[in-house]
mmCIF file of all heavy atoms in Angstrom:
data_model
loop_
_atom_site.group_PDB
_atom_site.id
_atom_site.type_symbol
_atom_site.label_atom_id
_atom_site.label_comp_id
_atom_site.label_asym_id
_atom_site.label_seq_id
_atom_site.Cartn_x
_atom_site.Cartn_y
_atom_site.Cartn_z
ATOM 1 N N ASP A 617 -12.100 16.005 105.378
ATOM 2 C CA ASP A 617 -12.578 17.135 104.577
ATOM 3 C C ASP A 617 -11.354 17.740 103.901
ATOM 4 O O ASP A 617 -10.568 18.459 104.529
ATOM 5 C CB ASP A 617 -13.271 18.144 105.484
ATOM 6 C CG ASP A 617 -13.881 19.304 104.696
ATOM 7 O OD1 ASP A 617 -13.375 19.626 103.608
ATOM 8 O OD2 ASP A 617 -14.852 19.904 105.196
ATOM 9 N N ARG A 618 -11.160 17.442 102.623
ATOM 10 C CA ARG A 618 -9.937 17.868 101.942
ATOM 11 C C ARG A 618 -9.802 19.391 101.909
ATOM 12 O O ARG A 618 -8.698 19.926 102.057
ATOM 13 C CB ARG A 618 -9.900 17.296 100.525
ATOM 14 C CG ARG A 618 -9.720 15.787 100.496
ATOM 15 C CD ARG A 618 -9.378 15.294 99.108
ATOM 16 N NE ARG A 618 -8.984 13.897 99.130
ATOM 17 C CZ ARG A 618 -8.227 13.324 98.206
ATOM 18 N NH1 ARG A 618 -7.799 14.023 97.172
ATOM 19 N NH2 ARG A 618 -7.912 12.048 98.293
ATOM 20 N N LYS A 619 -10.895 20.068 101.695
ATOM 21 C CA LYS A 619 -10.850 21.517 101.663
ATOM 22 C C LYS A 619 -10.385 22.069 103.001
ATOM 23 O O LYS A 619 -9.588 23.013 103.076
ATOM 24 C CB LYS A 619 -12.227 22.068 101.295
ATOM 25 C CG LYS A 619 -12.261 23.572 101.102
ATOM 26 C CD LYS A 619 -13.652 24.035 100.650
ATOM 27 C CE LYS A 619 -13.690 25.545 100.443
ATOM 28 N NZ LYS A 619 -15.037 26.000 99.996
ATOM 29 N N GLU A 620 -10.887 21.456 104.075
ATOM 30 C CA GLU A 620 -10.503 21.892 105.420
ATOM 31 C C GLU A 620 -9.033 21.574 105.694
ATOM 32 O O GLU A 620 -8.292 22.392 106.259
ATOM 33 C CB GLU A 620 -11.398 21.208 106.454
ATOM 34 C CG GLU A 620 -11.298 21.770 107.863
ATOM 35 C CD GLU A 620 -11.891 23.168 107.987
ATOM 36 O OE1 GLU A 620 -12.702 23.571 107.142
ATOM 37 O OE2 GLU A 620 -11.509 23.867 108.951
ATOM 38 N N GLU A 621 -8.599 20.385 105.289
ATOM 39 C CA GLU A 621 -7.211 19.980 105.531
ATOM 40 C C GLU A 621 -6.223 20.865 104.777
ATOM 41 O O GLU A 621 -5.082 21.035 105.194
ATOM 42 C CB GLU A 621 -7.012 18.520 105.113
ATOM 43 C CG GLU A 621 -7.680 17.501 106.008
ATOM 44 C CD GLU A 621 -7.019 17.395 107.373
ATOM 45 O OE1 GLU A 621 -5.879 17.874 107.534
ATOM 46 O OE2 GLU A 621 -7.651 16.828 108.290
ATOM 47 N N MET A 622 -6.644 21.426 103.640
ATOM 48 C CA MET A 622 -5.745 22.234 102.822
ATOM 49 C C MET A 622 -5.627 23.679 103.314
ATOM 50 O O MET A 622 -4.842 24.460 102.773
ATOM 51 C CB MET A 622 -6.201 22.226 101.363
ATOM 52 C CG MET A 622 -5.864 20.941 100.626
ATOM 53 S SD MET A 622 -4.068 20.711 100.444
ATOM 54 C CE MET A 622 -3.685 22.036 99.288
ATOM 55 N N LYS A 623 -6.392 24.047 104.328
ATOM 56 C CA LYS A 623 -6.240 25.380 104.896
ATOM 57 C C LYS A 623 -4.877 25.494 105.566
ATOM 58 O O LYS A 623 -4.433 24.569 106.256
ATOM 59 C CB LYS A 623 -7.352 25.662 105.908
ATOM 60 C CG LYS A 623 -8.728 25.825 105.267
ATOM 61 C CD LYS A 623 -9.789 26.121 106.314
ATOM 62 C CE LYS A 623 -11.161 26.331 105.661
ATOM 63 N NZ LYS A 623 -12.216 26.572 106.681
ATOM 64 N N GLU A 624 -4.214 26.625 105.377
ATOM 65 C CA GLU A 624 -2.847 26.783 105.886
ATOM 66 C C GLU A 624 -2.766 26.543 107.393
ATOM 67 O O GLU A 624 -1.819 25.921 107.887
ATOM 68 C CB GLU A 624 -2.304 28.171 105.556
ATOM 69 C CG GLU A 624 -0.871 28.350 106.033
ATOM 70 C CD GLU A 624 -0.234 29.652 105.583
ATOM 71 O OE1 GLU A 624 -0.720 30.232 104.586
ATOM 72 O OE2 GLU A 624 0.743 30.074 106.228
ATOM 73 N N ALA A 625 -3.761 26.995 108.133
ATOM 74 C CA ALA A 625 -3.720 26.822 109.589
ATOM 75 C C ALA A 625 -3.696 25.348 109.972
ATOM 76 O O ALA A 625 -2.990 24.949 110.919
ATOM 77 C CB ALA A 625 -4.926 27.513 110.224
ATOM 78 N N ASN A 626 -4.435 24.524 109.243
ATOM 79 C CA ASN A 626 -4.463 23.095 109.566
ATOM 80 C C ASN A 626 -3.191 22.390 109.106
ATOM 81 O O ASN A 626 -2.723 21.436 109.745
ATOM 82 C CB ASN A 626 -5.691 22.456 108.938
ATOM 83 C CG ASN A 626 -6.972 22.905 109.622
ATOM 84 O OD1 ASN A 626 -6.993 23.104 110.837
ATOM 85 N ND2 ASN A 626 -8.039 23.092 108.854
ATOM 86 N N ILE A 627 -2.633 22.830 107.987
ATOM 87 C CA ILE A 627 -1.342 22.267 107.564
ATOM 88 C C ILE A 627 -0.273 22.605 108.600
ATOM 89 O O ILE A 627 0.537 21.754 108.984
ATOM 90 C CB ILE A 627 -0.958 22.804 106.173
ATOM 91 C CG1 ILE A 627 -1.966 22.332 105.124
ATOM 92 C CG2 ILE A 627 0.451 22.347 105.796
ATOM 93 C CD1 ILE A 627 -1.753 22.952 103.759
ATOM 94 N N ARG A 628 -0.283 23.855 109.066
ATOM 95 C CA ARG A 628 0.695 24.259 110.077
ATOM 96 C C ARG A 628 0.507 23.492 111.389
ATOM 97 O O ARG A 628 1.484 23.199 112.090
ATOM 98 C CB ARG A 628 0.619 25.770 110.316
ATOM 99 C CG ARG A 628 1.208 26.589 109.174
ATOM 100 C CD ARG A 628 1.314 28.061 109.513
ATOM 101 N NE ARG A 628 1.978 28.792 108.447
ATOM 102 C CZ ARG A 628 3.308 28.899 108.322
ATOM 103 N NH1 ARG A 628 4.095 28.346 109.243
ATOM 104 N NH2 ARG A 628 3.839 29.572 107.322
ATOM 105 N N ARG A 629 -0.722 23.188 111.711
ATOM 106 C CA ARG A 629 -0.959 22.409 112.935
ATOM 107 C C ARG A 629 -0.246 21.067 112.866
ATOM 108 O O ARG A 629 0.398 20.639 113.834
ATOM 109 C CB ARG A 629 -2.472 22.215 113.132
ATOM 110 C CG ARG A 629 -2.854 21.301 114.295
ATOM 111 C CD ARG A 629 -4.366 21.194 114.430
ATOM 112 N NE ARG A 629 -5.019 20.790 113.196
ATOM 113 C CZ ARG A 629 -5.065 19.515 112.775
ATOM 114 N NH1 ARG A 629 -4.501 18.547 113.478
ATOM 115 N NH2 ARG A 629 -5.708 19.235 111.646
ATOM 116 N N ARG A 630 -0.345 20.411 111.733
ATOM 117 C CA ARG A 630 0.343 19.120 111.572
ATOM 118 C C ARG A 630 1.863 19.303 111.563
ATOM 119 O O ARG A 630 2.602 18.535 112.190
ATOM 120 C CB ARG A 630 -0.112 18.437 110.283
ATOM 121 C CG ARG A 630 -1.557 17.947 110.315
ATOM 122 C CD ARG A 630 -1.901 17.169 109.059
ATOM 123 N NE ARG A 630 -3.292 16.761 109.040
ATOM 124 C CZ ARG A 630 -3.771 15.670 109.649
ATOM 125 N NH1 ARG A 630 -2.952 14.887 110.335
ATOM 126 N NH2 ARG A 630 -5.061 15.374 109.580
ATOM 127 N N LEU A 631 2.327 20.312 110.838
ATOM 128 C CA LEU A 631 3.769 20.550 110.760
ATOM 129 C C LEU A 631 4.352 20.905 112.128
ATOM 130 O O LEU A 631 5.440 20.422 112.494
ATOM 131 C CB LEU A 631 4.056 21.654 109.748
ATOM 132 C CG LEU A 631 3.874 21.276 108.275
ATOM 133 C CD1 LEU A 631 3.889 22.531 107.394
ATOM 134 C CD2 LEU A 631 4.956 20.303 107.824
ATOM 135 N N ASP A 632 3.650 21.732 112.890
ATOM 136 C CA ASP A 632 4.144 22.119 114.209
ATOM 137 C C ASP A 632 4.220 20.922 115.142
ATOM 138 O O ASP A 632 5.161 20.782 115.937
ATOM 139 C CB ASP A 632 3.259 23.205 114.820
ATOM 140 C CG ASP A 632 3.396 24.542 114.103
ATOM 141 O OD1 ASP A 632 4.390 24.722 113.364
ATOM 142 O OD2 ASP A 632 2.497 25.401 114.269
ATOM 143 N N ALA A 633 3.226 20.046 115.053
ATOM 144 C CA ALA A 633 3.248 18.840 115.886
ATOM 145 C C ALA A 633 4.426 17.942 115.516
ATOM 146 O O ALA A 633 5.039 17.305 116.381
ATOM 147 C CB ALA A 633 1.938 18.075 115.725
ATOM 148 N N PHE A 634 4.758 17.911 114.233
ATOM 149 C CA PHE A 634 5.858 17.071 113.749
ATOM 150 C C PHE A 634 7.222 17.700 114.040
ATOM 151 O O PHE A 634 8.137 17.049 114.562
ATOM 152 C CB PHE A 634 5.689 16.844 112.245
ATOM 153 C CG PHE A 634 6.844 16.176 111.580
ATOM 154 C CD1 PHE A 634 7.334 14.956 112.029
ATOM 155 C CD2 PHE A 634 7.460 16.760 110.478
ATOM 156 C CE1 PHE A 634 8.407 14.332 111.406
ATOM 157 C CE2 PHE A 634 8.523 16.143 109.847
ATOM 158 C CZ PHE A 634 8.999 14.928 110.313
ATOM 159 N N LEU A 635 7.375 18.975 113.731
ATOM 160 C CA LEU A 635 8.676 19.638 113.831
ATOM 161 C C LEU A 635 8.969 20.181 115.216
ATOM 162 O O LEU A 635 10.136 20.368 115.587
ATOM 163 C CB LEU A 635 8.749 20.789 112.822
ATOM 164 C CG LEU A 635 8.631 20.402 111.345
ATOM 165 C CD1 LEU A 635 8.465 21.655 110.486
ATOM 166 C CD2 LEU A 635 9.842 19.603 110.891
ATOM 167 N N GLY A 636 7.925 20.443 115.971
ATOM 168 C CA GLY A 636 8.102 21.076 117.265
ATOM 169 C C GLY A 636 7.794 22.564 117.191
ATOM 170 O O GLY A 636 8.047 23.220 116.176
ATOM 171 N N GLU A 637 7.248 23.096 118.236
ATOM 172 C CA GLU A 637 6.879 24.511 118.272
ATOM 173 C C GLU A 637 8.141 25.382 118.179
ATOM 174 O O GLU A 637 9.203 25.034 118.687
ATOM 175 C CB GLU A 637 6.131 24.826 119.575
ATOM 176 C CG GLU A 637 4.787 24.128 119.702
ATOM 177 C CD GLU A 637 3.729 24.758 118.819
ATOM 178 O OE1 GLU A 637 3.979 25.863 118.293
ATOM 179 O OE2 GLU A 637 2.643 24.152 118.665
ATOM 180 N N GLY A 638 7.974 26.516 117.526
ATOM 181 C CA GLY A 638 9.047 27.498 117.505
ATOM 182 C C GLY A 638 10.003 27.397 116.336
ATOM 183 O O GLY A 638 10.838 28.287 116.150
ATOM 184 N N LEU A 639 9.914 26.331 115.551
ATOM 185 C CA LEU A 639 10.796 26.189 114.397
ATOM 186 C C LEU A 639 10.195 26.944 113.210
ATOM 187 O O LEU A 639 9.074 26.674 112.790
ATOM 188 C CB LEU A 639 10.975 24.709 114.041
ATOM 189 C CG LEU A 639 11.933 24.417 112.893
ATOM 190 C CD1 LEU A 639 13.345 24.856 113.250
ATOM 191 C CD2 LEU A 639 11.930 22.923 112.578
ATOM 192 N N GLY A 640 10.934 27.914 112.695
ATOM 193 C CA GLY A 640 10.412 28.724 111.614
ATOM 194 C C GLY A 640 10.485 28.033 110.266
ATOM 195 O O GLY A 640 11.464 27.340 109.955
ATOM 196 N N TYR A 641 9.456 28.197 109.462
ATOM 197 C CA TYR A 641 9.433 27.625 108.114
ATOM 198 C C TYR A 641 8.399 28.365 107.286
ATOM 199 O O TYR A 641 7.512 29.035 107.817
ATOM 200 C CB TYR A 641 9.102 26.129 108.153
ATOM 201 C CG TYR A 641 7.779 25.807 108.787
ATOM 202 C CD1 TYR A 641 6.587 25.855 108.053
ATOM 203 C CD2 TYR A 641 7.701 25.458 110.137
ATOM 204 C CE1 TYR A 641 5.364 25.575 108.648
ATOM 205 C CE2 TYR A 641 6.482 25.172 110.731
ATOM 206 C CZ TYR A 641 5.321 25.235 109.987
ATOM 207 O OH TYR A 641 4.120 24.968 110.573
ATOM 208 N N ASP A 642 8.518 28.239 105.985
ATOM 209 C CA ASP A 642 7.538 28.791 105.052
ATOM 210 C C ASP A 642 6.954 27.651 104.232
ATOM 211 O O ASP A 642 7.699 26.799 103.727
ATOM 212 C CB ASP A 642 8.186 29.810 104.104
ATOM 213 C CG ASP A 642 8.702 31.039 104.830
ATOM 214 O OD1 ASP A 642 7.953 31.576 105.659
ATOM 215 O OD2 ASP A 642 9.856 31.443 104.567
#
């Protein structure tokens, strides 16, 4: 669901899994 995937919370979920929890980014 592209609309769902583009929600910031879901993008952050992927980024957090990749980068590791606690790493700050914008």
Side-chain angles (χ1 to χ4, degrees):
D617 184 332
R618 291 193 170 203
K619 186 176 180 180
E620 192 70 20
E621 289 290 344
M622 283 294 291
K623 290 181 178 178
E624 182 173 338
N626 290 324
I627 296 173
R628 287 189 175 276
R629 174 179 54 80
R630 291 185 183 277
L631 288 168
D632 290 343
F634 171 55
L635 298 170
E637 295 285 348
L639 183 63
Y641 59 84
D642 295 313

